[in-house]
Amino acid sequence: MASSDLAITAQERTNVLNGNLEAFWRSRLSKKDPVARIGYALWVTDTTKLKHVIQSGDTNFWNIGITKGLLTGSLWLVRL
């Protein structure tokens, strides 16, 4: 799948229909859907998961600058 292919898959549609928005947005993150950064942050069930996804992800995608223990950029001033 090309990185620019942001079409919603059958599995993503199923996740939404089943009310599993965390799985839907996590899948969208893997496609680097820019809206998914916010969607996943809103629907993740555990902030530890969010922290892990951000730290293990592409810093350009997350638009991250680490300054004095604070995460700045797309997710402005979220304490890690």
Side-chain angles (χ1 to χ4, degrees), residues 4 9-10 17 20 34 44 58 66 72-73 75:
S4 63
T9 65
L17 293 173
N20 191 350
V44 69
D58 178 356
I66 302 293
T72 59
L75 298 173

Side-chain angles (χ1 to χ4, degrees), residues 7-45:
I8 294 175
T9 65
Q11 182 59 53
E12 290 169 341
R13 191 174 313 281
T14 299
N15 287 334
V16 170
L17 293 173
N18 290 333
N20 191 350
L21 296 177
E22 180 178 351
F24 170 78
W25 287 115
R26 182 67 181 96
S27 177
R28 302 302 297 167
L29 282 175
S30 69
K31 295 180 177 185
K32 295 193 176 185
D33 178 343
V35 177
R37 294 176 290 196
I38 300 301
Y40 189 70
L42 290 173
W43 290 100
V44 69
T45 57

Side-chain angles (χ1 to χ4, degrees), residues 38-58:
I38 300 301
Y40 189 70
L42 290 173
W43 290 100
V44 69
T45 57
D46 181 352
T47 55
T48 304
K49 291 180 189 179
L50 178 60
K51 179 180 175 181
H52 173 73
V53 167
I54 293 170
Q55 289 179 334
S56 64
D58 178 356

